[in-house]
Amino acid sequence: MNQFDLNGKTALITGASRGLGLTFAKALARAGADVAITSRTLASLDGPRAEIEALGRRVVPMALDVREEASIRRAVDAAHDALGNIDILVNNAGCNIRKRALDVT
């Protein structure tokens, strides 16, 4: 049995337009998962969408700003509507704010 077989599973990856998010999305797709990929701008997901489609998996790109609860709810609902239940969540989106942690709102 292949421990990394994700056929029939769905993943939602935040911050998937580049870097680690894109790497996670492609790795999960190679293992058989269909993926919902997100970024703050939909246009930045054109390349990642094509790369994942080339792996033979379903992919749904969507705009998501993890700083806004309404945006999160819309993205989760859209991913569920398009791909079914979400089995895997990769909370990758982040930012680099050069302040003391107590000074970040």
Side-chain angles (χ1 to χ4, degrees):
M1 180 174 146
N2 183 348
Q3 295 178 8
F4 299 104
D5 181 10
L6 297 177
N7 282 301
K9 302 294 183 186
T10 297
L12 171 65
I13 303 100
T14 65
S17 63
R18 59 189 171 141
L20 288 173
L22 178 55
T23 299
F24 293 139
K26 291 192 299 188
L28 292 167
R30 280 189 198 100
D34 293 323
V35 296
I37 56 175
T38 72
S39 179
R40 282 183 290 170
T41 61
L42 195 55
S44 68
L45 295 170
D46 290 344
R49 178 191 46 77
E51 289 183 58
I52 294 166
E53 285 177 340
L55 297 171
R57 304 309 314 165
R58 293 188 302 159
V59 58
V60 175
M62 61 188 79
L64 166 63
D65 187 336
V66 297
R67 300 170 297 177
E68 298 176 8
E69 185 176 346
S71 181
I72 296 167
R73 290 183 187 278
R74 282 191 303 273
V76 169
D77 289 344
H80 183 267
D81 290 347
L83 298 172
N85 288 332
I86 299 169
D87 304 293
I88 302 160
L89 176 62
V90 179
N91 286 311
N92 171 72
C95 59
N96 186 6
I97 300 172
R98 296 196 182 272
K99 293 183 184 180
R100 291 175 1 132
L102 295 174
D103 295 333
V104 177
T105 61

